[in-house]
Amino acid sequence: MSSQSVLLIGAGGYIGRAVAQEFLSQKSKFARVAILADLPKVGKFAEISSEGMEVVVGNFLEPNSFKGFTIVICMLGNHAMKHQPAIIDVAISAGVTNFYPSEFGSDISQGAYLSNRYFRDKQITREHLTKAAEHHKGFGYTLMVTGSFAEYAAHPAFGVDPDQGTFDFFGPKEKKEPFTGILDIAKYVVASVLMLESKFETENPCRTFRIPTATYSWEEVIETLSRVQGKKYTCTYHQTSEAHALAKKYASEGDVDRELGYSLKAIIGGPNEEGVPKPWDHDKFPDINPESLELSLRRYFGKQEQ
Ligand SMILES: NC(=O)c1ccc[n+]([C@@H]2O[C@H](COP(=O)([O-])OP(=O)(O)OC[C@H]3O[C@@H](n4cnc5c(N)ncnc54)[C@H](OP(=O)(O)O)[C@@H]3O)[C@@H](O)[C@H]2O)c1
């Protein structure tokens, strides 16, 4: 059994729910696993709590919320992730030794990801973690670089309207995107925490796991969606520069959500950008056999039988 005690933040979110379920199913391997929830949000976790998950009631800016935990896995969404630097400081003060920031996406240490507006809060958090690890001996952090969620291949954020059967993309159809299904991401997260028992894993304060399952061109993604849904798609391919212009326009109008949305579309469509450059780290997880994009999408659309 691992000596680690794991606290999950943002466990009610898109990736958070999958990660919480996986920890619940492997709970016996850890000293303790719990979800942190503000008092008004506790009801959200009634079902998983009835299945055996501990729920700690408290705020993520209070040291008491973190007392007794060694690992924090933060899965806050776009709006709340700006709180992470403060959360990290509070967690360290309470004795947390490893922090997983809300990453779960592209490798933002390279290319236009370094300056793209969409990733600003993630960059600020990474900088904060680097400094925190310099100042606090024994503190480290873990970056889960997953590529896009396979289930998001059917999401409007990426230009897909699965009901209408349309795809609106700001780049060439040959542009490739790395994907991982959320159930597999959850397995990688749990396995990566179990690895913290090994001394080798804690020598470097920053651990990075690059774990996309595979890359697909957007043309292949739409063909896959079309096959899974049994639906013909109408595709419109714009210049990437149009997404950049729209991001700029919405920034000047103070519309942060649209600014972020088009910043993301611009980088996903950008012909010269690569979401997660190789090498990848699958060899570190020999027991995980990730599902293909098609399998993830069949599960998502409830069409496993076909
Ligand atoms: N690679 C990809 O394709 C992809 C796709 C989506 C997300 N992501 C990444 O995954 C991470 C998580 O995103 P997500 O979409 O899963 O998040 P999400 O669904 O928006 O969930 C965010 C979670 O944070 C909680 N939260 C929000 N504001 C809070 C606050 N002030 N105090 C406490 N809790 C708060 C939410 O709880 P309430 O709902 O109760 O407020 C929810 O549980 C992010 O880093 C995101 O960039 C990656």
Side-chain angles (χ1 to χ4, degrees):
M1 189 178 88
S2 163
S3 61
Q4 306 293 352
S5 304
V6 184
L7 186 65
L8 308 176
I9 301 180
Y14 196 85
I15 188 65
R17 286 192 296 277
V19 170
Q21 280 300 335
E22 189 61 34
F23 269 106
L24 180 63
S25 73
Q26 300 196 44
K27 198 176 85 158
S28 60
K29 296 180 182 167
F30 298 92
R32 190 178 172 195
V33 178
I35 286 170
L36 179 64
D38 275 319
L39 186 56
K41 301 273 181 73
V42 170
K44 259 180 102 165
F45 301 106
E47 193 176 335
I48 194 164
S49 163
S50 72
E51 292 166 8
M53 176 67 88
E54 179 184 351
V55 178
V56 170
V57 182
N59 186 273
F60 53 46
L61 296 176
E62 289 165 6
N64 272 346
S65 305
F66 299 91
K67 285 264 159 67
F69 291 96
T70 53
I71 313 286
V72 169
I73 299 177
C74 185
M75 298 167 286
L76 291 172
N78 280 341
H79 287 278
M81 67 170 69
K82 64 173 178 283
H83 297 296
Q84 289 185 112
I87 296 172
I88 291 160
D89 291 347
V90 172
I92 293 172
S93 77
V96 167
T97 54
N98 201 282
F99 190 93
Y100 285 57
S102 192
E103 286 263 339
F104 309 104
S106 302
D107 176 356
I108 63 167
S109 69
Q110 44 95 38
Y113 288 90
L114 286 164
S115 54
N116 184 284
R117 167 67 178 90
Y118 188 81
F119 302 99
R120 190 176 70 187
D121 288 320
K122 291 189 178 185
Q123 297 288 6
I124 290 170
T125 301
R126 279 192 179 201
E127 284 163 26
H128 196 81
L129 283 164
T130 308
K131 287 192 187 125
E134 278 165 19
H135 289 115
H136 301 275
K137 200 171 159 29
F139 173 75
Y141 56 99
T142 306
L143 307 173
M144 299 305 294
V145 179
T146 63
S148 293
F149 298 170
E151 294 76 0
Y152 261 55
H155 197 280
F158 290 173
V160 174
D161 184 331
D163 298 327
Q164 298 297 320
T166 57
F167 178 52
D168 216 35
F169 192 64
F170 291 84
K173 60 179 190 269
E174 297 81 17
K175 174 71 199 292
K176 291 194 165 205
E177 186 67 20
F179 287 98
T180 315
I182 58 168
L183 300 187
D184 290 323
I185 293 174
K187 289 180 194 160
Y188 286 116
V189 171
V190 173
S192 71
V193 175
L194 288 168
M195 282 179 194
L196 281 166
E197 292 304 291
S198 139
K199 189 174 175 313
F200 173 75
E201 284 293 322
T202 51
E203 272 170 1
N204 183 344
C206 173
R207 302 189 307 157
T208 304
F209 294 106
R210 296 160 199 274
I211 43 130
T213 304
T215 54
Y216 302 83
S217 72
W218 281 97
E219 188 176 33
E220 290 169 317
V221 171
I222 299 304
E223 279 168 9
T224 308
L225 266 173
S226 189
R227 204 161 46 241
V228 169
Q229 288 184 274
K231 180 177 263 183
K232 194 174 173 330
Y233 267 77
T234 304
C235 302
T236 310
Y237 293 96
H238 308 265
Q239 295 292 322
T240 310
S241 56
E242 288 178 43
H244 284 295
L246 284 165
K248 212 168 162 186
K249 167 178 143 28
Y250 287 119
S252 71
E253 292 172 7
D255 186 337
V256 176
D257 282 330
R258 285 202 170 89
E259 180 197 359
L260 290 177
Y262 280 100
S263 300
L264 181 62
K265 287 177 196 292
I267 204 155
I268 287 176
N272 300 321
E273 304 310 325
E274 197 177 350
V276 186
K278 289 180 175 172
W280 293 350
D281 295 306
H282 297 111
D283 54 335
K284 294 180 180 161
F285 302 92
D287 296 335
I288 298 176
N289 184 18
E291 60 189 20
S292 65
L293 177 67
E294 178 149 352
L295 196 58
S296 296
L297 288 172
R298 287 198 180 280
R299 186 173 39 70
Y300 178 74
F301 285 105
K303 296 195 172 176
Q304 281 111 315
E305 305 309 317
Q306 291 181 17

